Amino acid sequence: MILSLKDIKKVLILGCGTLGTRVGLRFALSGYLVKMYDIDEKIFISAQKTQDQLLQYLVKNNLLAPQHVDKVTDRISWTLSPEEAAYDADLINESVTEDVEVKLRVWKQFGALSPEHTIFTTNTSYLLPSMFAEISGRPERFCAYHFHDVFYARVVDIMPHANTEKWVVDLLIQLGPVLDQIPVYIEKESPGYIFNYMLMSVLGSAGALLTNGTGSVEAIDKSWMGNLKTEIGPFGILDAVGLDTAWHVVKKYKDDKSKRFAILLKQMIEKGKLGVKSGEGFYHYPNPRFKEPDFLGDKPCEEL
Ligand SMILES: NC(=O)c1ccc[n+]([C@@H]2O[C@H](COP(=O)([O-])OP(=O)(O)OC[C@H]3O[C@@H](n4cnc5c(N)ncnc54)[C@H](O)[C@@H]3O)[C@@H](O)[C@H]2O)c1
């Protein structure tokens, strides 16, 4: 059965970590009924807290009327039951751990549980949809639908594999603006899509400069932020992504620079330093040093 945009009403989010939390809220804000599924009940508490903070941010910035907050949260339900999660989903967006084995297990499980019409999408950052399409049992409906930050960075990548049917791609492109995202169509499978491919070079270089002793975390971020006039540098970005998610990506590269950086990330993870989500990574949260007004130095002279 070919679906059109109006057939999508119920959305299932698999994985309620950093990304799933934000994507689920974004769908609910656009009027969809959202089920949030995870295997770890504890994650629901932090996910709900993050969603509440995001809603407060939207209200404070006049992006959401205060009287709509309850309507949005009422559209979201939470479940640990795969059957309850899957039985009526029109669209699944998967945001489970960036690990091939975990994603293969999840797609095998939800491929078997979902109704025939369900469209399957993955939020993987650096893996490819063709790796999971077959095991899901419906490769023709399988596509990467990859969000970034969702609220601050509003790009969604649509990356099909060779056997994704065109109507699925068209529907996902149309869905982008409904979710207040800029759709970017990726013509052929590529690890990291377009932006992440470029970003990986920057983050990998930052990791190499740190581990080979060229500069400190702050020096490297200052260099980036001061030159490009950005509000965040490579290590701030790594903290926002999550050092565990970053490690899953970096450990795949076998060159010496990546190996050194992967060791550092692993040591930090073992100490519980996961970035923003654990309150500490390269910086401390909620008030990281790079957000302090004097991070890039004193105010420039007004007169010479
Ligand atoms: N963090 C980011 O900024 C970001 C951005 C874009 C895409 N992504 C992608 O999104 C995915 C998730 O990344 P994240 O940073 O949110 O990770 P995360 O570690 O914060 O969250 C992953 C969640 O998956 C859950 N999970 C693990 N196994 C599961 C299973 N079998 N069934 C259901 N849930 C399971 C975990 O309990 C956890 O809550 C990855 O593929 C990542 O590449 C992340």
Side-chain angles (χ1 to χ4, degrees):
M1 181 170 77
I2 292 180
L3 302 187
S4 64
L5 194 54
K6 66 177 171 30
D7 298 316
I8 308 296
K9 297 192 168 68
K10 297 183 177 175
V11 176
L12 169 58
I13 304 295
L14 301 178
C16 305
T18 306
L19 226 276
T21 297
R22 304 171 86 84
V23 176
L25 180 62
R26 184 56 263 179
F27 271 99
L29 282 160
S30 296
Y32 293 91
L33 286 179
V34 177
K35 277 189 206 160
M36 306 284 301
Y37 167 79
D38 206 291
I39 48 170
D40 178 2
E41 194 171 11
K42 288 193 297 296
I43 209 81
F44 291 164
I45 296 163
S46 56
Q48 284 162 3
K49 191 171 158 209
T50 303
Q51 290 190 345
D52 287 345
Q53 287 166 345
L54 286 165
L55 286 165
Q56 283 167 27
Y57 160 84
L58 294 173
V59 169
K60 197 170 149 203
N61 289 283
N62 297 322
L63 297 167
L64 179 70
Q67 65 269 27
H68 288 158
V69 168
D70 286 349
K71 265 195 247 169
V72 174
T73 48
D74 285 352
R75 291 184 195 127
I76 304 174
S77 58
W78 305 79
T79 181
L80 292 166
S81 156
E83 293 79 13
E84 162 61 23
Y87 82 92
D88 59 352
D90 300 318
L91 175 89
I92 296 182
N93 188 241
E94 169 266 309
S95 284
V96 304
T97 313
E98 183 80 345
D99 179 284
V100 179
E101 295 308 317
V102 174
K103 287 193 194 287
L104 282 169
R105 270 203 306 278
V106 165
W107 280 117
K108 187 173 181 193
Q109 180 183 27
F110 281 88
L113 289 173
S114 305
E116 272 180 28
H117 73 277
T118 314
I119 295 173
F120 290 167
T121 63
T122 176
N123 222 328
T124 180
S125 296
Y126 289 94
L127 303 169
L128 299 175
S130 56
M131 297 166 78
F132 313 108
E134 289 303 325
I135 205 159
S136 78
R138 57 187 84 169
E140 69 289 350
R141 287 175 185 253
F142 198 102
C143 191
Y145 202 48
H146 172 254
F147 294 80
H148 291 252
D149 161 85
V150 182
F151 292 95
Y152 183 69
R154 294 169 34 253
V155 165
V156 64
D157 299 309
I158 298 105
M159 187 168 79
H161 64 97
N163 297 323
T164 311
E165 287 185 356
K166 185 174 176 304
W167 67 265
V168 175
V169 174
D170 292 343
L171 185 153
L172 293 172
I173 291 173
Q174 287 167 31
L175 180 59
V178 177
L179 299 172
D180 194 30
Q181 305 291 301
I182 302 157
V184 172
Y185 172 53
I186 315 292
E187 295 186 27
K188 66 170 202 169
E189 281 195 307
S190 164
Y193 311 83
I194 291 175
F195 181 76
N196 280 12
Y197 187 92
M198 298 188 283
L199 182 67
M200 189 58 206
S201 308
V202 174
L203 300 183
S205 300
L209 289 164
L210 179 69
T211 54
N212 74 15
T214 305
S216 66
V217 166
E218 288 198 11
I220 294 164
D221 275 2
K222 274 181 194 173
S223 181
W224 187 264
M225 293 163 67
N227 277 305
L228 290 183
K229 310 263 177 279
T230 58
E231 290 172 10
I232 193 165
F235 291 105
I237 294 173
L238 281 159
D239 277 353
V241 166
L243 301 193
D244 45 350
T245 297
W247 174 74
H248 277 296
V249 177
V250 176
K251 73 174 181 186
K252 290 205 229 11
Y253 295 86
K254 298 299 168 207
D255 59 286
D256 288 346
K257 280 187 297 193
S258 303
K259 278 189 198 165
R260 277 198 299 274
F261 192 30
I263 291 169
L264 172 68
L265 290 172
K266 184 84 171 125
Q267 287 167 346
M268 293 178 73
I269 293 163
E270 281 166 2
K271 288 181 189 153
K273 297 182 185 181
L274 303 181
V276 178
K277 63 183 160 189
S278 70
E280 186 180 352
F282 290 104
Y283 295 93
H284 290 84
Y285 297 87
N287 300 309
R289 173 81 185 103
F290 71 85
K291 286 204 174 150
E292 288 173 13
D294 68 340
F295 184 66
L296 292 181
D298 294 323
K299 268 202 331 200
C301 299
E302 283 170 16
E303 279 179 40
L304 283 176

